[in-house]
Amino acid sequence: MPIMPAMNTQFSIGLELTRLVPLNLAASKAANLIMSLARDLQSSGSDIVIEEDLALMFGKSLIAPEIASSFRAVVVRTSSYSLTECISLNSGAGPTVNRALLAHDQPAYFATVVQCSFLASLHDRSALSTAIVHSMEKEREDAPSQHVSRAIPSQEGVFGFLRACEEQTTEFPWASLTEAVAKQLGIPDFAAVKGIPPAVLRGAMYLFPMVQRVKDDYEAVIQLQGSEGLCPLVVWAHRILGLDVLVRQPRDAYDPVRHIDETVFGRGTPKIIIEDQLDRDNALGATITLLIPATKEALFTFQPDPDEMSIDAYSKSPAKGYGKRQLEITWSHFVGSFGDQVEGKVAAIKELQLMVVGLALYIANNLYKSSHGPSPFLPSEIGITLSASEERCATESQRLLEAARLLFNDQTISGDAIKNLAALYAGSPIRDLKPPVVWKTVSEKYGYRLNWEETILQTVRNLALVLLALSHVVDLDPAAIAPLNNDISLVSGHNFSSQLHSWDGENALEIPDIAWFEVLAQLMIGHITEISGEHLDRTSLVSNRGWSLFTNTYGLADPSFMDPGYVYIRFGVPCRNGVFKHRILDAPLGPISALLDEDDADQRIFPPGNWISLTASNNPTFGSFYCGERGDTFVVSIRITMQGNELASVHRTGYRELFAGAWFVIRTQSCDHPSLRQHDKHMVPDGAMASKICDDRIALGMGNTKLIICLTAFNKVARWHALVTLAWYKIVRGMNQFRLLLRGKSTCFDCAVAQASLFAERCYVVL
């Protein structure tokens, strides 16, 4: 009888089954390598077939040596940041980029990745992928009937490849190249990024490599009607492909024939000619035409298709200096094309800068916690509004000052100056704020229209909201280079922005726990639709363009070490076992009372006069971590289990629920007394009850007891469970009228109890 191997794990059983029934699906080493590559690409969001299809389109071009060298040097760098025990934030070259970097015998993949990285960094990926697929469809439609055409890739597949390209090459400074071109053309840098017209994009994919390969035989003329795509086209043709480019623009938009400015990029004879706003009678729209240079004979023109949708472009700026850039854009819109030539720009921007910071502090002084908004405890966005006098949402002035210095890249911003402004604004509606002196003076002196309430004040209000959100980022250093969308009007769609617009300056401003997460997500993603909807109440992380925004509950530190409502911004995309996703949700939650043990419940509630141990009796711990997948999302569950009774006592929670559970916490103040010791016993004081459980008996069954002590010392899991349970009763049961005091490690038992006794309402002390 053969000796049976030990089969005490699922792996050992699978290994034995493989031995018994071997399958040689990949018969050769080469086939194995291809299958391995296909799996890696698919896990990162790309696809081996899609990459080949796009290489046939973009891979015929040659990348300029300077760009090729710098691109390789920058994107090869990788990093990893541990998020959970099985999920990390990975950045830098992944399967798609590594394939392009290492396949020296197949330069088409490298050329494809470089060009698609650039295009995806500037454009809306969904619209760009649609335009690429439409181009392939047009080519197939024009093919002779007897021609056997390749299958057209899906828009979803192309989107995945574009996203993989961009995320794995995020560190390459495409924006700086575009801004450098804009500067040479005399275009404001905030106007440098405009989407390439679909017909021109379609034609450039064919004509740029044709002109590049046989420069003497062909040239391409691009006609634009409003500078759309001008700077990106120059970067693409000249910087990336090394082609010489001539740009012809009217010096005066109102007289485009008599005075033409010509700018040459390169040292040879330009073979790409871009004419911007020169043909007033052009009824076709933006076009690109292939010509014979000697005779100027037009061989073919790519014209707009009625079914083509425009391709939106996204201009982004790093968080550091983002506010200053927004105010410079506001100034340029105010004075028109004269920009820096108008006296007073520096002073005007400084005025608005101080107004933004002073307004943010004024708002911060009037914030109160609310449960309105998406909550993991509720099935919808129905919340319970708390009494404005109860739950103050404090923002440390020093954090606000540090965030302001980052937002405006100005270390001279004074804390005293913004406090004086906040005091000046106190009691006034934001809509009543008046234009600063310089802005009013310039308007009167030069006759510029001062659209104060409609535009400038709205920008000030939006920047104040962004500043408040940044002041709730745990570590600003990594966030300093995070790209934020330059369309700050996105913030106007936030619920809190609407509340500010109608605020009278006296009533409390209510803020939910997820508010700052939402504001930053809007600017990092470009619009809120990708994170809104039925699952925002369970979202703890979103990722876009190589960056991730997540709640501060990751790491599962003791709740006393965390600030309610704070978030992280980090470089990288969530990855688990080589699979990349762009969102993390809590799994559906378990019942809040799952940790109860009915047999000895009465022995866990202690009236006054009892001597008690301050620790949880059944030692709750974090159990096994569950992570599943659904679409582009990781679904996670954290189990809180009771020692020795796992099946009957499990509460499933998640990072978003823990984030909400900590929202209503008030921290105790430190004292100079000796720290608690684990085996010390204390007497339950008069007027108080102590409990080792958190359910209806502690929330509803304590009669008129004003002070309830939750015995959770020396166990962070017990403390987390108490916070989540009490937050659930506050929100779902509508039990608003109580305070939730969390003992810090530097507060003794007597001082924690004494501080809790100061509240007029019932107070729960979580030891």
Side-chain angles (χ1 to χ4, degrees):
M1 183 175 180
I3 298 175
M4 299 299 294
M7 289 185 285
N8 52 3
T9 66
Q10 182 173 323
F11 172 79
S12 61
I13 292 176
L15 191 64
E16 176 63 11
L17 179 60
T18 301
R19 186 185 69 81
L20 294 172
V21 190
L23 297 177
N24 295 318
L25 298 181
S28 67
K29 183 178 180 180
N32 277 323
L33 291 174
I34 293 173
M35 290 299 295
S36 177
L37 174 62
R39 289 191 188 95
D40 290 343
L41 293 174
Q42 188 178 57
S43 296
S44 68
S46 188
D47 182 274
I48 192 169
V49 176
I50 299 291
E51 293 199 4
E52 183 181 357
D53 290 338
L54 292 179
L56 291 173
M57 175 168 285
F58 289 97
K60 298 179 177 68
S61 299
L62 300 174
I63 304 301
E66 182 181 351
I67 286 292
S69 176
S70 58
F71 187 85
R72 290 179 183 276
V74 171
V75 304
V76 74
R77 298 192 295 259
T78 61
S79 65
S80 181
Y81 172 85
S82 179
L83 200 61
T84 74
E85 61 186 65
C86 65
I87 301 175
S88 60
L89 294 181
N90 288 5
S91 60
T96 294
V97 171
N98 278 328
R99 181 192 192 191
L101 295 178
L102 299 175
H104 299 291
D105 58 333
Q106 295 178 318
Y109 289 110
F110 180 73
T112 301
V113 166
V114 172
Q115 293 174 86
C116 288
S117 168
F118 167 68
L119 294 172
S121 72
L122 302 179
H123 296 89
D124 175 75
R125 289 185 299 254
S126 180
L128 181 60
S129 57
T130 299
I132 292 173
V133 171
H134 180 70
S135 178
M136 294 179 174
E137 291 173 342
K138 290 284 291 182
E139 180 178 341
R140 186 172 182 173
E141 289 173 4
D142 293 343
S145 58
Q146 67 274 16
H147 179 73
V148 180
S149 300
R150 295 170 60 92
I152 303 297
S154 68
Q155 186 268 342
E156 182 181 5
V158 175
F159 176 92
F161 170 73
L162 292 174
R163 179 154 66 180
C165 274
E166 183 189 17
E167 289 178 345
Q168 295 174 32
T169 62
T170 299
E171 287 194 275
F172 194 79
W174 291 120
S176 63
L177 296 181
T178 309
E179 290 172 4
V181 168
K183 184 176 182 179
Q184 191 168 344
L185 292 173
I187 298 174
D189 56 5
F190 65 83
V193 179
K194 292 185 177 181
I196 298 175
V200 175
L201 174 72
R202 184 158 40 91
M205 290 188 291
Y206 292 89
L207 302 191
F208 282 180
M210 288 186 68
V211 172
Q212 186 185 49
R213 296 286 185 168
V214 281
K215 293 183 179 180
D216 295 334
D217 294 342
Y218 300 119
E219 70 178 22
V221 176
I222 301 172
Q223 290 189 327
L224 304 177
Q225 289 187 306
S227 300
E228 65 271 39
L230 174 57
C231 295
L233 284 167
V234 174
V235 173
W236 187 4
H238 176 61
R239 294 303 306 274
I240 297 177
L241 301 184
L243 293 168
D244 297 316
V245 177
L246 168 65
V247 176
R248 305 180 71 236
Q249 299 170 283
R251 186 175 304 171
D252 184 346
Y254 298 100
D255 187 15
V257 177
R258 295 181 181 176
H259 302 93
I260 305 297
D261 285 336
E262 295 189 345
T263 306
V264 177
F265 295 85
R267 298 180 179 179
T269 302
K271 295 299 181 181
I272 304 294
I273 295 92
I274 303 176
E275 298 181 343
D276 182 27
Q277 305 181 73
L278 296 187
D279 187 355
R280 290 178 173 178
D281 300 323
N282 180 12
L284 294 177
T287 61
I288 179 170
T289 301
L290 183 67
L291 300 174
I292 297 177
T295 63
K296 300 300 180 184
E297 177 187 354
L299 299 178
F300 188 82
T301 298
F302 288 83
Q303 300 178 0
D305 189 302
D307 297 329
E308 287 178 317
M309 302 291 290
S310 62
I311 308 173
D312 292 331
Y314 290 146
S315 172
K316 302 177 291 294
S317 297
K320 186 175 183 177
Y322 177 83
K324 184 177 181 180
R325 184 180 180 92
Q326 290 299 319
L327 296 182
E328 289 174 343
I329 293 173
T330 301
W331 173 262
S332 295
H333 289 161
F334 172 51
V335 300
S337 59
F338 298 100
D340 295 335
Q341 303 173 30
V342 178
E343 183 181 359
K345 175 183 176 180
V346 175
I349 290 176
K350 191 74 172 181
E351 280 183 327
L352 285 192
Q353 179 177 294
L354 289 175
M355 177 176 278
V356 168
V357 186
L359 179 59
L361 182 59
Y362 172 38
I363 294 169
N365 292 336
N366 290 274
L367 291 178
Y368 291 84
K369 297 178 182 179
S370 167
S371 61
H372 270 303
S375 169
F377 302 112
L378 294 171
S380 66
E381 294 195 2
I382 300 174
I384 308 297
T385 303
L386 302 171
S387 170
S389 63
E390 286 189 26
E391 305 285 351
R392 183 107 183 220
C393 182
T395 301
E396 294 181 17
S397 57
Q398 184 60 34
R399 284 184 182 265
L400 190 68
L401 182 60
E402 291 172 0
R405 289 172 174 171
L406 174 86
L407 185 65
F408 295 104
N409 194 20
D410 185 352
Q411 296 299 314
T412 67
I413 297 176
S414 165
D416 291 336
I418 62 176
K419 288 178 182 178
N420 292 336
L421 276 175
L424 180 65
Y425 299 152
S428 301
I430 297 176
R431 60 181 176 273
D432 288 350
L433 298 183
K434 302 302 181 185
V437 174
V438 175
W439 291 78
K440 189 175 180 180
T441 301
V442 171
S443 175
E444 294 173 349
K445 183 176 180 179
Y446 297 104
Y448 296 127
R449 183 183 176 188
L450 188 63
N451 292 320
W452 175 248
E453 292 185 13
E454 297 87 351
T455 57
I456 303 176
L457 183 57
Q458 183 175 346
T459 298
V460 169
R461 186 174 65 242
N462 288 339
L463 277 175
L465 195 53
V466 174
L467 174 55
L468 283 166
L470 282 176
S471 69
H472 288 79
V473 174
V474 175
D475 186 355
L476 285 173
D477 287 341
I481 58 173
L484 304 180
N485 196 300
N486 279 324
D487 183 8
I488 198 172
S489 65
L490 292 166
V491 178
S492 299
H494 193 275
N495 292 334
F496 188 59
S497 179
S498 301
Q499 189 180 166
L500 287 178
H501 182 71
S502 58
W503 183 44
D504 62 4
E506 297 180 357
N507 291 326
L509 289 166
E510 298 171 358
I511 196 81
D513 64 325
I514 202 68
W516 309 129
F517 183 97
E518 289 180 317
V519 170
L520 293 170
Q522 284 175 308
L523 293 178
M524 289 178 64
I525 291 178
H527 47 81
I528 197 64
T529 54
E530 289 190 21
I531 69 161
S532 62
E534 59 177 321
H535 297 305
L536 183 56
D537 56 345
R538 289 162 40 208
T539 298
S540 60
L541 180 148
V542 291
S543 182
N544 191 45
R545 300 186 182 274
W547 286 81
S548 292
L549 168 72
F550 53 98
T551 61
N552 64 345
T553 43
Y554 283 85
L556 300 176
D558 188 278
S560 64
F561 298 154
M562 298 169 44
D563 293 310
Y566 278 68
V567 299
Y568 282 93
I569 299 176
R570 284 283 192 274
F571 189 40
V573 181
C575 177
R576 174 177 176 262
N577 298 331
V579 177
F580 289 81
K581 303 290 181 183
H582 297 85
R583 187 168 171 173
I584 298 181
L585 296 180
D586 287 0
L589 304 178
I592 206 70
S593 58
L595 288 184
L596 302 184
D597 188 343
E598 299 292 342
D599 295 338
D600 60 350
D602 293 337
Q603 301 176 25
R604 301 189 186 183
I605 299 177
F606 305 94
N610 276 262
W611 287 89
I612 54 172
S613 169
L614 305 184
T615 60
S617 61
N618 41 15
N619 192 28
T621 60
F622 286 128
S624 56
F625 179 87
Y626 167 81
C627 181
E629 299 177 19
R630 185 180 62 194
D632 195 30
T633 300
F634 287 127
V635 181
V636 302
S637 176
I638 304 167
R639 299 180 184 181
I640 298 178
T641 63
M642 303 301 289
Q643 192 173 36
N645 193 19
E646 185 171 343
L647 292 178
S649 51
V650 176
H651 170 59
R652 291 175 177 83
T653 186
Y655 297 105
R656 175 67 178 92
E657 186 187 53
L658 296 178
F659 187 72
W663 178 236
F664 298 105
V665 161
I666 303 170
R667 283 209 191 102
T668 58
Q669 297 180 5
S670 301
C671 68
D672 297 327
H673 302 133
S675 301
L676 293 184
R677 292 182 299 183
Q678 189 161 357
H679 300 294
D680 287 350
K681 290 186 178 292
H682 295 263
M683 181 181 289
V684 180
D686 291 340
M689 297 282 278
S691 176
K692 292 181 180 289
I693 60 173
C694 285
D695 71 330
D696 283 346
R697 285 160 294 182
I698 189 174
L700 302 174
M702 292 292 189
N704 295 322
T705 304
K706 180 184 172 185
L707 177 59
I708 300 171
I709 303 169
C710 301
L711 303 175
T712 58
F714 310 107
N715 188 319
K716 69 176 182 180
V717 184
R719 288 154 68 82
W720 272 119
H721 181 250
L723 296 182
V724 168
T725 302
L726 292 169
W728 187 85
Y729 282 107
K730 181 182 276 285
I731 295 173
V732 178
R733 295 292 183 88
M735 294 172 53
N736 299 336
Q737 305 301 321
F738 72 76
R739 297 298 189 103
L740 182 54
L741 194 66
L742 177 66
R743 184 188 68 84
K745 296 299 180 68
S746 57
T747 307
C748 71
F749 174 81
D750 292 334
C751 287
V753 170
Q755 292 175 34
S757 301
L758 298 176
F759 294 111
E761 308 88 354
R762 168 180 280 186
C763 182
Y764 291 86
V765 184
V766 178
L767 294 179

